[in-house]
Amino acid sequence: MGKPAVNSVRLDGSEFRSWPVPELAGSIGLGESGNLIVSQPKSLLVLNPETGRLRELVRVEGEPPENRLNDGKTGPDGAFWVGSMDTKRERRESIGSLFRVTGDGRITRVIERGMFVSNGLAWSPDHLTMYHSDSAGPWINRYDFSPATGAVTNPTRFAELSEQAGRPDGAACDIEGRYWSAGVSAGVINVFSPTGAILKTYPTEVTAPTMPAFCGENLDYLVVTSLPDRPNGRDIDGSLMIAKTDTRGAL
């Protein structure tokens, strides 16, 4: 595996760029200024992609030493949402939390512990629903969301998954309100209705897909990341996949 970095590439494979970062980048988010928020195991950085300059936005205090930040995304409220996970492979504990970080570096622990691997952040097209999953739960929750304040209320169990169906990893919503979830343990992308039913399951060429994201000028391409070096894996594992879809991503 290469050194930690944030990478970019056009959808046709051209203009590859890379910016080194000190440690594993668990997630990134795009800011209004064009700068990127980059999660590190215990902190968030701001990356200026024009200059490559990095600065620390905030350090996450009070996390167990074995935890690191994982899935994160810029929300409709303008804040960066990011969760943590227990990195122990044996006897993993539900000590992960979910944080909300504003542009001035103020951090709030929105969900206190209770997760093995915080993941699956996504918002409905009307911005009134937030989705959030625990990859090792394995479950997906739905919350009422206030885009004005970032408040989350009324947690509801949206779906529970199995190894065979695909434990929920990263996710995205489309303009029809469907929730696209990477089924990391089953090599698939599961598409859920707003009520939690699996409408479609798309097999992928990799062993462990990790994050679907809608891209392109019309947000009608789906890009999917994957884990490398899986046990009994495939040569393509770790690749970035892209496909044209019959829908568009939610803004």
Side-chain angles (χ1 to χ4, degrees):
M1 186 178 292
K3 294 182 179 180
V6 174
N7 302 316
S8 76
V9 65
R10 291 193 175 275
L11 295 183
D12 64 4
S14 65
E15 296 187 31
F16 177 81
R17 300 176 68 191
S18 186
W19 299 267
V21 293
E23 300 177 88
L24 172 73
S27 53
I28 59 174
L30 178 63
E32 190 175 40
S33 66
N35 288 340
L36 298 173
I37 306 298
V38 183
S39 74
Q40 299 284 269
K42 301 289 187 182
S43 66
L44 294 177
L45 306 179
V46 176
L47 167 65
N48 183 325
E50 298 303 318
T51 65
R53 180 176 177 268
L54 285 167
R55 65 176 176 86
E56 185 173 275
L57 177 64
V58 66
R59 294 200 67 81
V60 180
E61 305 292 345
E63 280 287 277
E66 59 269 36
N67 273 17
R68 70 163 173 85
L69 295 180
N70 190 46
D71 179 62
K73 195 168 287 186
T74 305
D77 57 334
F80 186 71
W81 292 74
V82 63
S84 60
M85 61 174 283
D86 182 2
T87 59
K88 299 191 301 292
R89 293 191 178 274
E90 299 295 330
R91 293 179 299 202
R92 182 174 275 160
E93 298 178 79
S94 56
I95 53 177
S97 294
L98 180 66
F99 303 91
R100 178 180 183 265
V101 184
T102 56
D104 57 3
R106 288 179 296 167
I107 184 168
T108 304
R109 197 184 298 261
V110 178
I111 299 176
E112 179 82 24
R113 308 288 189 253
M115 290 165 289
F116 296 98
V117 182
S118 177
N119 228 320
L121 288 165
W123 284 264
S124 60
D126 61 7
H127 301 162
L128 298 179
T129 300
M130 185 183 85
Y131 297 93
H132 176 234
S133 70
D134 183 345
S135 293
W139 47 255
I140 305 167
N141 274 357
R142 179 180 62 213
Y143 299 83
D144 293 336
F145 184 79
S146 169
T149 65
V152 291
T153 55
N154 191 28
T156 304
R157 186 55 47 89
F158 179 71
E160 295 185 353
L161 285 303
S162 64
E163 291 284 326
Q164 294 72 29
R167 289 185 289 103
D169 208 282
C173 283
D174 65 22
I175 57 170
E176 298 170 67
R178 298 177 299 185
Y179 179 80
W180 296 59
S181 170
V184 66
S185 59
V188 301
I189 303 294
N190 288 313
V191 183
F192 292 85
S193 75
T195 60
I198 296 180
L199 300 174
K200 296 180 181 178
T201 296
Y202 294 104
T204 71
E205 296 181 23
V206 296
T207 306
T210 55
M211 169 66 81
F214 289 96
C215 303
E217 185 176 351
N218 298 312
L219 295 179
D220 56 354
Y221 283 88
L222 192 72
V223 173
V224 180
T225 56
S226 62
L227 290 175
D229 305 322
R230 306 307 295 161
N232 303 313
R234 307 167 187 170
D235 291 341
I236 198 174
D237 286 351
S239 297
L240 189 69
M241 299 170 287
I242 182 170
K244 187 77 161 58
T245 72
D246 59 359
T247 186
R248 292 188 290 119
L251 288 173

